[in-house]
Amino acid sequence: MTATTPRALLGAAIPAPSAARFRPDELAALAALDDLLDHDIAPAAAEADAAGRYPTASVAALKRSGILQSGLPAEWGGLGASHRVSLEAQVRIAAADSSVAQIFKVHDELTREIFVYCPDELRPLLSARILDGAILGLAVAERGRKVDDPWRTVATPHPDGGFTVDGEKIYTTGAAEADLIAVWAFNPAAEGAADNFLLGLQLNLVPRDAEGVTVHRDWDMLGQRATDSGTVTFRQVRTDPALRASVPGRAPLPQNSLRYQAGFAAVLVGIGIGALSAAAPFVSSRARPWPSAGVDSAADDPVVKRLAGELASGLAAAYALTMQTGDLLDAFERGLLSRTELAVPIFAAKSAATKAALAATTDVFALMGASATRTGTGFDRYWRDARTLALHDPVDWKHIEVGANVLSGWDPPPGIYT
């Protein structure tokens, strides 16, 4: 690999990115990321998973790579990278450590959307912070019997132009050690908020160490453990007026929920690739062939080869669908296609990625045999991560939504998961 050539994934099943799809500077950024993944992030993944806390050293390495600036618009000093680059990076990071990939995913998505809907005066300030290595975390979800229960986190306007934020957030990916936490709250005083909840939504960027912010470090899940996405409470947190990150009426963007879905597909594909890539040397060096195969190596067992090919093919198909959604996101933001033309392919990619990732992370054990289940081999991490991440929203709703469009031409309305 040269300094400007990213590697192929899964042998020749998923070829290396090429100049036909990426600019030279984008290829160089991905190649630099590959090197960092090999030397810094992948070796630390098992330990970060075992600790179940924010992968501080891995995120520090991510900051050194420059990839955190890739989604920053070129006019503000960033790479101005395409969505395809973002999804490619998420796949590659997830193959090494999917928790780090999800932390990057949140930062990249926030960077891309905030620069669209924020007050004009925030852009130079935020770009300077990101160029200096700042990473953004997210605090949006709240407890409730239903996902769409009314929000209890409130942003009360302050005479200085900022807000006082009170509330509790869960599933706060990246917030535990973020430089700035993106906190969504409801501003009841916003014009039109009484009639339209969306007009009352207010995003503020809050330093993690701001007075009144408590990161509880109570994340204890089966997988995605190093995202450290536990509870964060905000008690009388005074926000900086300069860090007001949204203007009522500009947010949310119609593609936001779809970009999130595409990113989850990318991370799931990366987990599956990571599992199969990790299994390959085990099959060659430690697994035993079945006697009926009449071969000396499990890698030559036809049943093992058949299953490996099936898993790789599923991942390659899901990868191709997911990467295409990056192009569609760019086209949508240029006004070249409708939201439905963006949404339905993303739903299909999410479905394919979920199926391929769960199959790969489950059936790699059939490739390797019983010895791969020994405590300490670490192959269970891939399944735990895929199983946990795939529960972000029920994939069967993606099937229903695709089916509704196919059967009746239904147009998915903008929503939290649609």
Side-chain angles (χ1 to χ4, degrees):
M1 183 182 76
T2 69
T4 57
T5 306
R7 60 166 170 259
L9 297 169
L10 287 183
I14 300 177
S18 71
R21 294 288 191 181
F22 298 92
R23 305 189 315 250
D25 58 345
E26 293 173 334
L27 290 174
L30 292 170
L33 178 63
D34 276 348
D35 185 64
L36 175 139
L37 293 172
D38 290 340
H39 293 96
D40 295 276
I41 293 179
E47 184 178 350
D49 169 74
R53 289 294 172 258
Y54 193 90
T56 306
S58 293
V59 173
L62 207 63
K63 290 183 177 184
R64 295 193 303 272
S65 75
I67 199 68
L68 295 181
Q69 292 86 41
S70 60
L72 194 64
E75 59 266 32
W76 292 107
L79 190 61
S82 68
H83 280 93
R84 181 179 276 263
V85 170
S86 173
L87 296 174
E88 180 75 34
Q90 290 176 54
V91 168
R92 288 170 181 270
I93 300 170
D97 186 331
S98 57
S99 289
V100 177
Q102 193 175 352
I103 290 169
F104 167 75
K105 170 188 184 296
V106 164
H107 168 87
D108 187 75
E109 290 165 352
L110 284 169
T111 298
R112 291 171 182 272
E113 65 185 59
I114 287 174
F115 271 80
V116 176
Y117 56 56
C118 72
D120 296 342
E121 56 269 23
L122 177 62
R123 294 189 182 98
L125 175 62
L126 183 56
S127 61
R129 293 290 301 271
I130 292 174
L131 289 171
D132 195 41
I135 189 167
L136 308 179
L138 182 63
V140 58
E142 298 192 1
R143 300 185 194 280
R145 186 64 184 86
K146 297 192 296 183
V147 173
D148 56 356
D149 278 351
W151 277 8
R152 296 171 182 160
T153 301
V154 175
T156 304
H158 191 272
D160 68 2
F163 295 84
T164 300
V165 177
D166 278 284
E168 179 182 84
K169 297 292 187 177
I170 60 173
Y171 301 149
T172 57
T173 299
E177 294 186 18
D179 296 289
L180 294 168
I181 303 175
V183 186
W184 281 104
F186 182 70
N187 172 13
E191 185 177 354
D195 299 317
N196 184 347
F197 173 76
L198 293 179
L199 293 178
L201 293 182
Q202 177 61 52
L203 181 66
N204 289 284
L205 298 177
V206 177
R208 178 179 50 86
D209 57 359
E211 185 176 357
V213 176
T214 302
V215 179
H216 292 273
R217 312 308 285 256
D218 55 357
W219 185 248
D220 187 22
M221 297 299 191
L222 180 74
Q224 292 301 96
R225 290 174 47 76
T227 61
D228 210 358
S229 304
T231 307
V232 179
T233 53
F234 301 86
R235 296 288 179 256
Q236 290 290 297
V237 177
R238 287 278 302 277
T239 70
D240 186 339
L243 294 178
R244 183 167 64 102
S246 70
V247 174
R250 289 190 190 175
L253 304 175
Q255 72 271 32
N256 281 0
S257 62
L258 305 178
R259 181 168 27 226
Y260 302 161
Q261 294 287 331
F264 280 115
V267 177
L268 283 164
V269 170
I271 295 171
I273 290 171
L276 194 51
S277 297
F282 189 100
V283 170
S284 298
S285 64
R286 295 179 59 181
R288 299 190 297 180
W290 192 245
S292 301
V295 296
D296 295 325
S297 169
D300 296 323
D301 187 322
V303 171
V304 172
K305 288 193 287 187
R306 188 211 64 77
L307 178 56
E310 179 182 2
L311 298 178
S313 297
L315 289 167
Y319 169 88
L321 284 174
T322 300
M323 289 304 107
Q324 182 189 41
T325 68
D327 298 336
L328 296 177
L329 278 161
D330 287 330
F332 177 82
E333 293 188 349
R334 293 195 300 270
L336 300 179
L337 70 163
S338 70
R339 189 181 186 278
T340 296
E341 291 171 315
L342 172 65
V344 176
I346 286 178
F347 297 162
K350 176 74 182 299
S351 171
T354 301
K355 181 177 181 180
L358 291 176
T361 56
T362 300
D363 287 346
V364 286
F365 292 99
L367 292 178
M368 298 179 289
S371 61
T373 66
R374 187 185 304 277
T375 301
T377 57
F379 293 109
D380 62 302
R381 171 169 60 90
Y382 299 101
W383 178 82
R384 289 187 288 103
D385 288 339
R387 182 63 279 175
T388 300
L389 196 66
L391 295 174
H392 177 264
D393 62 297
V395 72
D396 275 340
W397 276 104
K398 301 276 92 60
H399 300 151
I400 289 170
E401 290 153 5
V402 173
N405 175 264
V406 169
L407 296 175
S408 65
W410 174 77
D411 294 315
I416 297 175
Y417 296 105
T418 57

